[in-house]
Amino acid sequence: RMDKDAVIEAHVRVLTEGTKRSQSMTVTLLNVPYGEFEGEKLDIYLPSHASKEFPFFVYVHGGYWQFLSKEESGFMAPPLVRKGIAVAVLDYDIAPKGHMELMVSQVRRSIAFIARQYPRTSGLYLCGHSAGAHLAAMALSTDWTEYGVTPDIKGAFLVSGVYDLLPITKTYVNDVLHMSEELAVKNSPMQHVKEVKARAETCSIVVVLAEHDPAEYHRQSQEYAQSLQALGLNVCLKDIAGVDHFEVIENLSQDDHILTQMILNMILTK
């Protein structure tokens, strides 16, 4: 097997090539500002024959909160756009420039921006991978009253995510994030399941794992899904066979990938 750096390099190469391919074959609106800061931009991939009320798939990239950007993260657009689904890919200020509270706020503001810009959308469907799944899960617990709009979030796919940040404070990942234990607890989705119940009760949530994800991802995903289920939320846990932490999301560029099919099935039957 390749060493860790080589695995990540290969992952970035696959995502970058996929994003270039997406942009070459899709109607795009690139670098749309959703806020005042330089990093607060998003890319939109639009269906060419969209109805006036098309659904929106909103993607939050991973990268341990300190890596990747929207520039490598539009790879999943073609299978969705072909079915009349618009795709928005968010940027946020990764560490060291951005800190955890800012990233959580930026993802929330970008979702509110999409809801305001496209008020006739037939619904928003969030998807985040790894650190992006953490940020998407935090978005599900948002009190939208302070944003002046209530996005119609009908579904969420939380892929290979982190829902308890406390263990991260003791790893190298925190060397750049500089999270205190207090901040880690405050920004852990596990601490906000009751807010998800109050604010996203009608949302269908799919907590996704890769078979070869590390054990800690399996533990956290299972605990988070069980906590949501215990409150009566519409949540399912899906373990995808034969893939690792990176392949599970890379394969979204393929129409026949099981996760692509699950996303299309939810959006097109809602």
Side-chain angles (χ1 to χ4, degrees):
R1 289 183 70 83
M2 294 188 284
D3 68 25
K4 190 173 149 207
D5 288 345
V7 168
I8 291 172
E9 276 175 31
H11 178 57
V12 174
R13 193 162 55 247
V14 169
L15 300 191
T16 305
E17 287 167 2
T19 301
K20 283 181 182 159
R21 201 159 48 246
S22 293
Q23 292 182 356
S24 71
M25 56 199 289
T26 312
V27 178
T28 56
L29 299 168
L30 303 179
N31 299 308
V32 179
Y34 66 81
E36 295 172 14
F37 293 120
E38 177 61 27
E40 297 183 344
K41 293 189 172 72
L42 50 86
D43 290 343
I44 297 173
Y45 298 77
L46 289 166
S48 51
H49 304 294
S51 66
K52 284 194 174 133
E53 298 187 356
F54 50 78
F56 243 104
F57 179 84
V58 180
Y59 183 70
V60 191
H61 72 77
Y64 304 109
W65 305 275
Q66 54 197 273
F67 190 53
L68 294 176
S69 71
K70 68 178 177 58
E71 306 306 319
E72 309 86 25
S73 301
F75 55 91
M76 83 298 292
L80 301 176
V81 168
R82 275 197 287 272
K83 298 288 188 180
I85 301 160
V87 176
V89 180
L90 314 182
D91 246 353
Y92 51 91
D93 281 316
I94 54 174
K97 186 179 178 185
H99 54 84
M100 187 59 71
E101 302 247 276
L102 176 63
M103 294 183 234
V104 169
S105 160
Q106 286 176 323
V107 169
R108 287 170 167 162
R109 283 188 284 116
S110 63
I111 293 166
F113 171 83
I114 294 164
R116 273 195 299 272
Q117 290 295 110
Y118 294 92
R120 296 184 63 182
T121 173
S122 63
L124 301 184
Y125 296 83
L126 306 185
C127 178
H129 174 243
S130 199
H134 158 265
L135 294 168
M138 287 299 290
L140 291 178
S141 69
T142 307
D143 178 359
W144 294 106
T145 52
E146 62 183 274
Y147 296 85
V149 65
T150 303
D152 181 17
I153 301 172
K154 289 188 172 172
F157 291 85
L158 307 174
V159 184
S160 297
V162 181
Y163 309 104
D164 175 9
L165 298 184
L166 207 49
I168 282 168
T169 60
K170 299 173 178 63
T171 71
Y172 74 93
V173 174
N174 203 33
D175 294 348
V176 186
L177 289 170
H178 304 300
M179 262 191 311
S180 65
E181 289 192 355
E182 181 187 7
L183 206 60
V185 170
K186 184 182 172 189
N187 288 287
S188 289
M190 274 298 293
Q191 303 295 322
H192 298 286
V193 289
K194 285 183 178 159
E195 288 98 317
V196 176
K197 167 79 172 171
R199 295 161 185 163
E201 190 167 16
T202 59
C203 179
S204 298
I205 302 168
V206 185
V207 179
V208 180
L209 274 166
E211 180 186 356
H212 302 303
D213 262 328
E216 179 67 5
Y217 287 94
H218 280 263
R219 182 187 73 78
Q220 290 206 16
S221 294
Q222 285 160 358
E223 284 187 12
Y224 185 60
Q226 284 162 1
S227 298
L228 295 172
Q229 278 167 339
L231 293 175
L233 284 154
N234 178 7
V235 58
C236 73
L237 181 67
K238 180 71 181 175
D239 194 333
I240 296 184
V243 290
D244 65 22
H245 186 73
F246 301 108
E247 293 160 342
V248 68
I249 203 75
E250 289 171 2
N251 292 351
L252 273 188
S253 62
Q254 301 166 16
D255 294 77
D256 59 355
H257 179 41
I258 185 166
L259 185 53
T260 313
Q261 288 298 314
M262 285 169 67
I263 289 166
L264 289 171
N265 190 44
M266 182 192 287
I267 297 176
L268 298 176
T269 57
K270 271 274 185 188

